[in-house]
Amino acid sequence: METGSPRDAESVAAEPVWTGLPPGLLRMRRLLLVVWLGLVAVALGVCLGLFAGPRWAVLAAVPLGAVAWGWVLLGRNWRSWRYAERADDLLISRGVLWREETVVPYGRMQLVEVTSGPVERYFGLASVQLHTAAAATDATIPGLDPAEAERLRDRLTELGEARSAGL
């Protein structure tokens, strides 16, 4: 005789299989952080050194402190992003302090597009953007490998067409 509430096969199968983002997105974001705040630190140090004196040039260390802080925050943010394909919908979860989980039913998808800007292309990344009738449920999965982004686009489009035919 069993006691408690055993987990049957249906409840185990209902749990989503989460997929995290590739590390290329984290590398890209951290590099952009270092480049931009490094430029700000150099410009601030030069300007303060020339116009206010060398003692004030020490304030250029403030953006360098922001680099260290941003480095940690970008890592936490990157780890928080994940997505899962289920039988009837796509789940997207993100956020560190404020968790946000978006559920996009396949039958409600109107457009699935893959975008990749110049910086993303340089790092070999692409984003998948999902459009639905309700603007509030539009969702994006950033920083995917281009092959994975295209596979996801094709799969979501196929499932969306199959589900919307039944409406």
Side-chain angles (χ1 to χ4, degrees):
M1 179 174 207
E2 296 180 18
T3 60
S5 57
R7 298 182 71 181
D8 57 358
E10 290 179 18
S11 67
V12 171
E15 302 225 3
V17 177
W18 293 100
T19 304
L21 299 181
L25 179 66
L26 180 61
R27 282 193 299 272
M28 179 190 75
R29 288 181 174 173
R30 283 181 170 170
L31 180 66
L32 290 174
L33 174 77
V34 169
V35 167
W36 285 110
L37 286 180
L39 289 173
V40 168
V42 168
L44 187 62
V46 168
C47 289
L48 287 174
L50 290 175
F51 298 115
R55 288 185 185 175
W56 288 96
V58 175
L59 289 176
V62 172
L64 297 178
V67 167
W69 184 52
W71 189 275
V72 173
L73 291 181
L74 285 174
R76 290 183 64 195
N77 180 270
W78 172 76
R79 282 189 300 278
S80 75
W81 275 87
R82 59 191 185 157
Y83 66 95
E85 300 173 59
R86 295 194 306 184
D88 295 322
D89 51 27
L90 177 75
L91 299 175
I92 302 171
S93 178
R94 64 195 170 278
V96 177
L97 291 177
W98 288 273
R99 299 281 311 157
E100 187 174 332
E101 190 166 299
T102 304
V103 180
V104 183
Y106 295 134
R108 300 291 181 197
M109 290 182 202
Q110 293 182 333
L111 174 68
V112 181
E113 61 183 350
V114 175
T115 60
S116 184
V119 176
E120 284 179 313
R121 279 194 309 271
Y122 181 79
F123 283 92
L125 300 173
S127 297
V128 174
Q129 186 165 10
L130 310 161
H131 298 279
T132 63
T137 58
D138 287 0
T140 302
I141 304 173
L144 296 174
D145 295 320
E148 171 64 10
E150 290 176 13
R151 184 206 64 82
L152 190 59
R153 178 199 59 206
D154 294 342
R155 176 166 163 68
L156 295 177
T157 301
E158 177 184 315
L159 289 170
E161 289 173 356
R163 298 296 193 279
S164 66
L167 293 178

